[in-house]
């Protein structure tokens, strides 16, 4: 069964801020934020303000309602007074009419009874008028005296005097009715104006309150949206590895606390990444030292053979020279072969130079690299491993391969880990020649290397977990499970991807793709 896995740039992170290690300035800012108003408190304050404003509007409305009711009652009282005055005026008119009708009557006694009947009605209405208008009612003393004189002596003269008094009283009453009507009109106009003014005032107070509330809410949420957008951008920059300057804290609520937390997270992540870079460099050099120790036996064997040859040739030359000049003739010295000594010393120098280059510190800044040269140099060192004595190492390198951008030490670590994994996969292989193939190629957008073996291969269960830290199928003491995890981490910092194609019992092919648009990754590689 053939299984393939592809790992790209996305990753996860976990950072926990330690409040005890934060800068003093940040702790002071947090303390000030603790004393500030929260968003919930601001909402409660706004709600209470709205309630108080609504209560004030309601109080104003009820107050104006009371004034309108008072005006309405005054208008109603004026209407009642006007009706009562008209009744008094009507009784006066009826009394004048009764006197006019009976002044020349032959039956003077019957006429006086009718006049007295109207006189009694007039007196009752006049009493009500005096009660309603104790100061403003017309003076009726002369009219009452005229009624009494007519009752005592219903002569034509007395009746004419009574008629004249009634007419004068009616004129005064008419003027009083006109004043009452004017007062009623004034009250009605004031009632209308006050009703309109109250309605417009309540409307504008409500509209102003709603407008102010809408403006406050709009400004609040506008600023909140801007702050949350800044926090979102800062969080995305932090996840993508861009730290930049911390966000300026302008709020003293939960958003301010969140801003402080994100600034602290970015600061902590930056510090942790720097620590991780140092630990990675330490681990890488430890890996190199461990690899040098592993290769020591093979290197000793390789160096031992030329040393033995040099020693034998040198001993033979010493013995011939010790035998005397006669034994060191041109014929006898032909077997010394000093060119062999020179060739073997060159071989020793090459081996020691390779070891020295591998063990020496490298530049950690990203630079243009020859991927083919990196593969050759790393493979030339790995070949001293004793397990490679029975493994065929085959190169299929593209001579036109463009340069890639990266850190030499980190690429060396990736190549070495992949080669060591390939060597481990070839242990115990039978029925075929153990072979490791190293190939390179490129297209318009990327360059890639392939390290393939015909070893035991991997199943889908193992293949899905190969990049997990500390996951290994090797026995204890032989593997830590960090090799491919570090390869993935290094590939991610270079903007590269790793694809693994493996078939159990057939072999494994590892493709590492490097982008050729190097400007996008020059800063990220410097880890």
């Amino acid at each position: 069964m053939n299984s393939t896995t592809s790992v790209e740039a996305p990753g996860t992170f976990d950072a926990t801020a330690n409040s005890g290690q934060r800068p003093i300035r940040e702790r002071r800012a947090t303390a000030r934020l603790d004393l500030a108003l929260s968003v919930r408190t601001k909402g409660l304050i706004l709600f209470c303000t709205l309630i108080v404003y609504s209560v004030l509007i309601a109080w104003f409305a009820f107050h104006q309602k009371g004034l309108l009711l008072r005006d309405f009652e005054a208008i109603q009282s004026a209407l009642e007074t006007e009706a009562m005055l008209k009744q008094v005026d009507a009784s006066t008119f009826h009394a004048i009419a009764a006197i006019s009708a009976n002044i020349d009557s032959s039956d003077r006694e019957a006429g006086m009874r009718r006049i007295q009947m109207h006189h009694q009605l007039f007196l009752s209405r006049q009493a009500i008028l005096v009660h309603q208008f104790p100061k403003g009612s017309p003076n009726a003393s002369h009219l009452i005296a005229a009624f009494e004189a007519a009752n005592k002596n219903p002569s034509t003269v007395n009746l004419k005097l009574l008629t004249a008094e009634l007419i004068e009283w009616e004129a005064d009453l008419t003027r009083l009715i006109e004043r009452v009507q004017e007062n009623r009109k004034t009250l009605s106009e004031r009632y209308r104006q006050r009703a309109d003014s109250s309605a417009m005032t309540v409307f504008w107070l409500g509209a102003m309150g709603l407008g102010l509330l809408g403006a406050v809410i709009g400004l609040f949420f506008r600023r909140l949206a801007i702050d949350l957008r800044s926090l979102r951008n800062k969080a995305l920059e932090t996840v993508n590895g861009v730290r930049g300057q911390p966000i300026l804290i302008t709020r003293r609520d939960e958003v301010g606390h969140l801003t402080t937390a994100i600034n602290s997270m970015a600061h902590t992540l930056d510090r942790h990444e720097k620590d991780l870079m140092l630990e990675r460099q330490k681990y890488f050099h430890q890996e190199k030292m461990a690899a040098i120790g592993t290769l020591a036996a093979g290197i000793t064997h390789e160096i031992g053979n030329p040393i033995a040859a040099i020693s034998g040739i040198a001993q033979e030359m010493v013995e011939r020279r010790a035998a005397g000049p006669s034994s060191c003739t041109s014929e006898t010295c032909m077997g010394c072969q000093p060119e062999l000594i020179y060739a073997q010393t060159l071989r020793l120098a090459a081996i020691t130079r390779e070891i020295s280059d591998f063990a020496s510190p490298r530049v950690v800044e990203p630079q243009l690299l020859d991927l083919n040269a990196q593969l050759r140099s790393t493979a030339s060192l790995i070949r001293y491993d004793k397990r490679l004595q029975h493994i065929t190492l085959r190169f299929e390198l593209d001579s036109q391969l463009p340069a890639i951008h990266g850190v030499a030490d980190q690429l060396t670590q990736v190549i070495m880990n992949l080669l060591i994994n390939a060597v481990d996969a070839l242990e115990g292989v039978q029925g075929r020649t153990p072979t490791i193939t190293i190939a390179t190629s490129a297209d318009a957008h990327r360059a890639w290397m392939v390290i393939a073996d015909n070893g035991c291969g991997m199943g889908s269960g193992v293949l899905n977990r190969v990049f997990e830290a500390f996951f290994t199928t090797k026995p204890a003491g032989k593997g830590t499970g960090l090799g491919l995890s570090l390869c993935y981490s290094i590939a991610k910092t270079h903007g590269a991807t790793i694809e693994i194609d493996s078939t159990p019992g057939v072999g494994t092919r590892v493709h590492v793709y490097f982008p050729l648009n190097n400007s996008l990754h020059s800063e990220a590689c410097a880890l």
Side-chain angles (χ1 to χ4, degrees):
M1 180 178 177
N2 192 318
S3 302
T4 303
T5 184
S6 176
V7 179
E8 299 183 357
T12 59
F13 69 91
D14 182 14
T16 303
N18 188 347
S19 60
Q21 297 178 354
R22 288 182 297 178
I24 297 176
R25 183 170 53 189
E26 186 174 320
R27 293 201 299 269
R28 289 176 179 172
T30 304
R32 288 196 299 270
L33 291 175
D34 292 336
L35 300 176
L37 297 178
S38 64
V39 174
R40 179 182 179 184
T41 303
K42 292 178 180 178
L44 290 175
I45 291 175
L46 181 61
F47 178 74
C48 293
T49 304
L50 182 61
I51 293 297
V52 171
Y53 188 77
S54 301
V55 169
L56 290 176
I57 294 178
W59 174 85
F60 175 80
F62 280 107
H63 176 69
Q64 293 298 314
K65 178 184 177 182
L67 295 177
L68 290 172
L69 287 175
R70 188 179 65 185
D71 290 344
F72 178 79
E73 291 174 355
I75 294 172
Q76 189 176 13
S77 177
L79 288 172
E80 293 174 354
T81 302
E82 185 179 351
M84 185 265 296
L85 290 173
K86 287 181 178 180
Q87 290 177 359
V88 174
D89 183 64
S91 65
T92 304
F93 175 76
H94 290 153
I96 294 172
I99 294 171
S100 299
N102 294 285
I103 192 170
D104 295 326
S105 175
S106 57
D107 189 0
R108 188 59 63 90
E109 184 178 354
M112 287 305 297
R113 283 198 298 271
R114 286 192 291 272
I115 292 172
Q116 288 176 355
M117 181 183 66
H118 288 291
H119 178 215
Q120 293 299 326
L121 180 61
F122 169 78
L123 290 177
S124 63
R125 298 274 175 86
Q126 193 270 340
I128 295 174
L129 179 62
V130 171
H131 179 72
Q132 292 288 339
F133 294 93
K135 295 182 180 180
S137 60
N139 188 3
S141 58
H142 297 289
L143 181 58
I144 294 172
F147 266 115
E148 291 176 354
N151 286 331
K152 292 178 181 180
N153 183 14
S155 63
T156 301
V157 175
N158 288 338
L159 289 176
K160 288 182 177 180
L161 289 175
L162 178 59
T163 302
E165 291 293 337
L166 286 171
I167 292 173
E168 185 178 356
W169 164 265
E170 188 178 17
D172 293 338
L173 190 61
T174 301
R175 287 192 292 269
L176 180 59
I177 291 174
E178 291 176 352
R179 290 200 304 269
V180 171
Q181 288 177 343
E182 289 295 330
N183 183 47
R184 177 178 58 80
K185 290 180 180 179
T186 302
L187 290 173
S188 298
E189 182 65 20
R190 187 175 70 180
Y191 179 85
R192 184 186 64 78
Q193 291 178 355
R194 178 167 288 172
D196 293 342
S197 175
S198 300
M200 290 301 295
T201 302
V202 171
F203 171 76
W204 284 114
L205 285 175
M208 184 177 65
L210 289 177
L212 184 61
L213 178 64
V216 171
I217 293 177
L219 290 175
F220 175 80
F221 282 104
R222 178 176 177 273
R223 183 186 176 193
L224 181 63
I226 293 174
D227 292 339
L228 291 179
R229 192 179 303 114
S230 298
L231 292 175
R232 172 181 174 274
N233 294 335
K234 181 65 175 179
L236 291 177
E237 289 177 356
T238 301
V239 170
N240 293 328
V242 180
R243 298 294 176 258
Q245 295 296 326
I247 304 176
L248 180 63
I249 301 175
T250 59
R251 303 176 64 103
R252 296 189 176 183
D253 51 15
E254 288 85 350
V255 179
H257 286 283
L258 181 60
T259 303
T260 303
I262 289 181
N263 287 339
S264 176
M265 179 185 69
H267 174 74
T268 303
L269 283 176
D270 184 59
R271 187 176 67 250
H272 285 179
E273 286 180 355
K274 291 178 180 178
D275 295 340
L276 180 62
M277 179 185 66
L278 295 176
E279 292 299 324
R280 182 181 293 172
Q281 293 297 326
K282 293 178 182 178
Y283 179 80
F284 177 52
H285 285 287
Q286 290 174 357
E287 287 285 313
K288 289 204 298 185
M289 294 302 103
I292 291 175
T294 303
L295 300 177
I299 293 174
T300 302
H301 175 75
E302 292 294 326
I303 294 178
N305 290 334
I307 289 178
I310 293 173
S311 177
I313 295 171
Q315 185 176 3
E316 183 179 355
M317 292 176 64
V318 169
E319 290 176 353
R320 288 184 179 183
R321 289 185 177 182
S326 58
S327 61
C328 192
T329 61
S330 59
E331 295 179 357
T332 58
C333 290
M334 288 180 62
C336 291
Q337 299 180 347
E339 64 276 5
L340 293 179
I341 297 176
Y342 180 70
Q344 296 301 323
T345 54
L346 290 179
R347 184 181 176 190
L348 288 173
I351 294 172
T352 55
R353 185 170 57 254
E354 290 174 355
I355 297 174
S356 176
D357 290 342
F358 180 75
S360 62
R362 303 286 184 90
V363 178
V364 297
E365 297 295 330
Q367 56 186 340
L368 289 175
L369 300 174
D370 183 355
L371 184 59
N372 290 339
Q374 292 288 322
L375 288 167
R376 288 193 189 95
S377 62
T378 305
S380 66
L381 187 65
I382 289 293
R383 77 176 187 272
Y384 296 118
D385 192 325
K386 290 182 178 180
R387 296 175 297 177
L388 277 169
Q389 293 178 355
H390 306 290
I391 296 175
T392 301
L393 197 61
R394 186 167 60 193
F395 289 91
E396 298 177 0
L397 304 180
D398 184 358
S399 61
Q400 303 298 321
L401 189 71
I404 64 172
H405 211 256
V407 180
D409 253 5
Q410 295 178 5
L411 291 182
T412 299
Q413 186 174 7
V414 172
I415 298 169
M416 180 176 290
N417 281 327
L418 295 179
L419 288 175
I420 291 175
N421 287 342
V423 171
D424 291 338
L426 290 170
E427 288 187 4
V429 172
Q430 297 179 355
R432 57 184 181 273
T433 302
T435 304
I436 296 177
T437 302
I438 302 174
T440 58
S441 187
D443 57 20
H445 304 289
R446 58 183 181 175
W448 61 87
M449 68 177 183
V450 181
I451 297 179
D453 64 76
N454 59 349
C456 59
M458 294 180 288
S460 59
V462 175
L463 194 63
N464 291 332
R465 301 184 60 189
V466 290
F467 293 105
E468 293 183 12
F470 303 105
F471 173 77
T472 181
T473 57
K474 298 178 183 179
K478 195 171 183 180
T480 62
L482 289 175
L484 287 177
S485 176
L486 286 174
C487 288
Y488 160 74
S489 178
I490 294 172
K492 184 177 71 171
T493 61
H494 285 73
T497 60
I498 301 179
E499 293 183 0
I500 300 179
D501 182 14
S502 184
T503 303
V506 176
T508 301
R509 294 177 63 86
V510 181
H511 294 76
V512 184
Y513 296 92
F514 297 93
L516 294 180
N517 188 10
N518 301 310
S519 60
L520 297 177
H521 308 286
S522 60
E523 182 178 350
C525 292
L527 294 178

